[in-house]
Amino acid sequence: MAEEVFSQRTTTCGALTKADNGRHVVLNGWVHRDRNHGALHFINLRDRYGITQVVVDDDASAELQAVANELHLEYCIAVTGFVRLRPDSMVNPEMSTGEIEVKAESIEILSKCAPLPFQIDDGKETREDLRLKYRYLDLRSQGMQQRLRLRHEFILSCRNFLASRGFLEIETPTLIKSTPEGARDFLVPSRVYPGKFYALPQSPQLLKQILMVGGMDKYFQIARCYRDEDARGDRQLEFTQLDLEMSFVKRDDVLSLMEELFNHVFKDVMDYELPVHFRRLSYHDALNTYGCDKPDLRFDVPLSDVNDLAEQSTFSTFKEIVAKGGFVKALCAPRTEGVDFSRKYITELEEAAKIYGAQGLAWIKVGADRSLSGGVSKFFTGLEEALLKRVDAKEGDLILFVAHESWKKCCASLSAVRTKLGKDLHLIRKGFEFCWIIDFPLFEYNEDEGHWEAAHHMFSMPQAEYLDTLESDPGSVKGDLYDLVLNGYEVASGSIRIHDVELQKRIFRICNFEDQEAEERFGFLLNAFRYGPPPHGGIAPGVDRMVMIMSEQTSIHEVIAFPKNTAAVSPMDDSPSQVDQKQLDELHLIINYPKPKD
């Protein structure tokens, strides 16, 4: 078959400047805008690199005029012509090519475009379901192209940095053994072995540890991971992480490496200077001060313990909760121009707190001369100065309280209020604020199932001082765990790993995996640990979430080429979809459809 002939580009739509005046060029791209002024025709031609204005002059041939009149938005065309300077009055400083235009000699239609379901880059917001259904059109938008380029540059910069530090990029399998890692596995039935299944990796956790046993010393990969869990704005069924593992390291080695990595990446990709070292908070201090283990440090508004003041007050609700061993915490919402701390707004804050278990939200307004009024102020007579000092409140501020028998619910409820205040009062500073959360509990108790389980995963090393009390007091054990938080999002999680087979078995038993079951599930790892494993540790920053934050988005859909929607469906290709009976028979599968509910 003869090869299709078309006028192939000699440059891109973002490359031409006044230095190219008089140059003969061929451009390929899409019709971005089309303005027909009768004899004079202006076409904005777009490709990934930019936009160039093409002009069909009034002295153009009838054939060229006819082709120009046939054009519609998103037609894919080839333009041949000469570069010329725009008149001074027509220079567009907003465009990199704004000083020139191309006088068309010929236009060739390479392909036509059906009527558009939405306009590309017209300044209007398009429904996400439409954007995902016609993702190939949405990908042409300037925003999507910039964000996917940022993603590419982020990954490339990470690769270059790690390679320069002696890391090897090693791929691990996509079809692996199903092991319990917290979320549901995606299972892949084996055609060759009826009744047996592979799993898609939730992470390369065990395999990267085995790479350390294999002497690889420093490993990384851009790993695709899969978890069968409900999708949301910053989480997908399939996601990408920068997976790292190192031998002969302690916690501070991992933390220092990540600080160096992100200092390099942010400077390289965004020309943004980060602090050399990131702030560190213990898990307890993070919850106690900010209400959560992923605090947004771009604004202050700390939580304060006020149990002693609540006990001295005459407010019976507070006093009863403190008497039962509960907790009362407060924060100060700063006076903000244009914001009225009305009862309606306080009710909105209270609704945010109730989502996390609060029964209500008490409040006090600070008036002139440091006087207190409204809400529960009358119960704090004589305690005014102590309360104002405790929460650092000033005239015009609003003091908010949550009381609860559970410390975690008290913290979480007031954290939700803090987050809403940060957005509503415009307290959040521009920029990027990293912090480390350390000293996590190693275990948490599953009330529903009546046993302990790993707070992160079962392969994390307990801190040395707790080794003798693992079984007798699991709830007090802290792990050698660490999370990296950026602007209120957890962006990486890691730990120093267990490398002793007997200690690993102890952790399995505490987490309700007896020796026989542990051998069945994790025997390959335990066996590897019998052959001289090195001390090792690692971490795995999430690529999707990092790029989302760097591009100032709130959904990872904006930084993934082909995401699923929040219902875990791909509207573009309609996956998941049914398969034919022949495929099911080959896999020895029978579908047991759920019965309709009455």
Side-chain angles (χ1 to χ4, degrees):
M1 179 181 289
E3 184 179 351
E4 181 184 0
V5 178
F6 69 95
S7 300
Q8 192 171 8
R9 67 187 177 189
T10 59
T11 187
T12 67
C13 295
L16 298 173
T17 68
K18 63 182 181 181
D20 296 294
N21 184 31
R23 179 179 167 191
H24 190 257
V25 296
V26 180
L27 299 175
N28 298 159
W30 288 267
V31 176
H32 184 68
R33 295 288 180 267
D34 182 24
R35 306 186 305 281
N36 189 344
H37 298 295
L40 204 59
H41 207 122
F42 294 94
I43 302 156
N44 280 9
L45 191 64
R46 184 196 71 244
D47 64 9
R48 199 188 87 191
Y49 309 95
I51 295 175
T52 294
Q53 179 171 278
V54 175
V55 183
V56 179
D57 283 340
D58 53 7
D59 61 354
S61 67
E63 180 183 359
L64 178 55
Q65 292 279 8
V67 175
N69 288 330
E70 190 182 342
L71 298 179
H72 292 286
L73 296 183
E74 298 307 312
Y75 272 36
C76 187
I77 65 174
V79 174
T80 302
F82 284 92
V83 180
R84 69 186 184 190
L85 300 179
R86 294 195 194 190
D88 290 343
S89 61
M90 301 289 287
V91 169
N92 185 348
E94 301 297 318
M95 295 172 62
S96 62
T97 60
E99 292 181 298
I100 60 91
E101 60 192 17
V102 171
K103 177 184 178 180
E105 284 183 323
S106 67
I107 297 176
E108 180 183 349
I109 296 176
L110 304 179
S111 63
K112 297 183 178 182
C113 180
L116 291 167
F118 56 86
Q119 299 299 313
I120 297 169
D121 283 336
D122 68 347
K124 296 178 182 177
E125 194 166 329
T126 304
R127 297 199 325 264
E128 187 179 59
D129 60 333
L130 271 180
R131 291 179 60 205
L132 295 182
K133 182 175 178 61
Y134 299 95
R135 193 61 161 182
Y136 36 83
L137 294 177
D138 191 48
L139 288 171
R140 296 180 189 175
S141 69
Q142 184 181 43
M144 283 303 306
Q145 298 214 344
Q146 287 176 341
R147 291 190 290 273
L148 290 181
R149 181 177 180 84
L150 175 65
R151 183 188 181 102
H152 158 75
E153 291 173 346
F154 173 84
I155 291 172
L156 181 62
S157 187
C158 290
R159 274 196 166 108
N160 290 340
F161 174 86
L162 293 170
S164 74
R165 295 306 182 91
F167 281 77
L168 300 182
E169 184 169 6
I170 304 173
E171 296 173 347
T172 53
T174 303
L175 298 175
I176 64 171
K177 181 182 178 68
S178 178
T179 56
E181 289 194 40
R184 298 183 194 89
D185 281 333
F186 276 105
L187 299 177
V188 180
S190 169
R191 177 185 59 81
V192 179
Y193 301 100
K196 292 189 176 182
F197 295 81
Y198 301 102
L200 302 181
Q202 294 186 35
S203 75
Q205 179 62 48
L206 304 187
L207 295 169
K208 66 180 179 179
Q209 290 189 249
I210 290 174
L211 283 173
M212 297 303 102
V213 179
M216 291 297 103
D217 195 63
K218 294 179 179 179
Y219 138 94
F220 85 96
Q221 72 170 313
I222 308 300
R224 297 289 288 162
C225 305
Y226 308 86
R227 294 181 183 175
D228 187 4
E229 57 189 0
D230 294 338
R232 66 185 191 207
D234 64 340
R235 181 175 292 173
Q236 286 271 294
L237 302 177
E238 50 190 326
F239 56 96
T240 306
Q241 65 187 36
L242 173 62
D243 205 50
L244 296 97
E245 199 78 7
M246 297 174 280
S247 294
F248 308 111
V249 293
K250 296 182 179 180
R251 182 187 72 186
D252 285 355
D253 299 312
V254 181
L255 271 53
S256 294
L257 177 86
M258 296 309 296
E259 289 168 350
E260 291 176 34
L261 168 68
F262 286 122
N263 266 274
H264 166 82
V265 170
F266 272 68
K267 181 63 178 175
D268 183 34
V269 174
M270 303 184 71
D271 196 26
Y272 187 92
E273 297 277 357
L274 292 173
V276 174
H277 298 295
F278 304 156
R279 183 176 173 184
R280 296 186 187 185
L281 292 169
S282 72
Y283 170 80
H284 180 275
D285 286 348
L287 262 65
N288 203 48
T289 307
Y290 300 103
C292 67
D293 60 2
K294 43 182 182 292
D296 190 341
L297 300 183
R298 291 174 298 167
F299 68 106
D300 302 320
V301 191
L303 279 55
S304 300
D305 296 318
V306 293
N307 270 32
D308 55 335
L309 300 179
E311 198 170 20
Q312 296 173 55
S313 75
T314 58
F315 190 34
S316 59
T317 301
F318 283 0
K319 294 172 75 71
E320 288 169 8
I321 287 175
V322 173
K324 292 177 182 177
F327 304 87
V328 183
K329 298 183 77 68
L331 61 75
C332 175
R335 176 185 180 181
T336 304
E337 192 72 31
V339 176
D340 178 23
F341 293 135
S342 63
R343 288 300 302 271
K344 180 177 181 292
Y345 182 62
I346 294 172
T347 300
E348 291 178 13
L349 295 172
E350 184 175 51
E351 291 305 312
K354 285 181 175 179
I355 293 172
Y356 293 87
Q359 299 299 308
L361 186 68
W363 57 276
I364 294 174
K365 290 184 178 180
V366 182
D369 301 322
R370 300 173 67 80
S371 61
L372 304 184
S373 64
V376 297
S377 59
K378 64 182 180 182
F379 301 110
F380 283 82
T381 302
L383 300 170
E384 293 90 347
E385 280 303 317
L387 178 60
L388 291 170
K389 183 178 180 181
R390 182 73 54 85
V391 299
D392 192 25
K394 302 174 180 61
E395 180 181 345
D397 293 349
L398 177 70
I399 303 172
L400 298 161
F401 304 81
V402 167
H404 205 285
E405 293 178 18
S406 162
W407 177 70
K408 282 191 174 181
K409 288 185 177 180
C410 185
C411 292
S413 300
L414 208 51
S415 176
V417 173
R418 177 182 182 270
T419 298
K420 182 171 172 58
L421 288 169
K423 295 174 182 176
D424 293 350
L425 306 187
H426 307 292
L427 303 176
I428 300 173
R429 297 182 291 271
K430 293 280 287 183
F432 302 99
E433 291 284 346
F434 282 92
C435 73
W436 289 107
I437 309 298
I438 58 175
D439 298 335
F440 280 88
L442 188 62
F443 304 106
E444 56 190 17
Y445 195 73
N446 187 322
E447 297 285 353
D448 296 331
E449 298 183 14
H451 63 79
W452 291 98
E453 57 189 19
H456 278 54
H457 57 63
M458 294 184 288
F459 314 105
S460 297
M461 179 73 80
Q463 294 183 9
E465 64 192 273
Y466 299 98
L467 290 175
D468 294 336
T469 59
L470 285 178
E471 290 83 0
S472 60
D473 188 13
S476 68
V477 177
K478 290 185 174 64
D480 222 342
L481 306 162
Y482 34 85
D483 278 1
L484 183 59
V485 174
L486 172 60
N487 292 3
Y489 291 92
E490 176 201 317
V491 293
S493 186
S495 67
I496 299 302
R497 322 299 188 189
I498 297 168
H499 65 279
D500 176 82
V501 68
E502 293 305 321
L503 177 57
Q504 186 64 76
K505 285 183 176 180
R506 289 173 67 189
I507 299 297
F508 284 153
R509 292 184 200 117
I510 293 169
C511 294
N512 206 36
F513 286 90
E514 294 305 322
D515 290 357
Q516 182 176 347
E517 185 179 3
E519 284 287 350
E520 290 173 359
R521 296 289 191 97
F522 307 103
F524 63 100
L525 177 70
L526 295 174
N527 199 44
F529 279 1
R530 296 183 175 100
Y531 292 88
H536 57 284
I539 193 166
V543 171
D544 310 308
R545 203 171 290 180
M546 280 295 307
V547 179
M548 178 192 81
I549 297 167
M550 292 170 74
S551 59
E552 299 183 342
Q553 299 297 307
T554 57
S555 169
I556 59 174
H557 295 177
E558 301 298 333
V559 297
I560 298 173
F562 301 105
K564 307 290 186 290
N565 63 19
T566 53
V569 169
S570 171
M572 185 185 73
D573 62 5
D574 200 28
S575 64
S577 58
Q578 292 182 325
V579 297
D580 60 42
Q581 189 61 44
K582 181 182 177 183
Q583 289 176 282
L584 295 175
D585 292 343
E586 287 175 340
L587 295 170
H588 315 284
L589 294 178
I590 297 173
I591 306 299
N592 183 17
Y593 291 101
K595 295 179 181 178
K597 294 181 181 179
D598 295 333

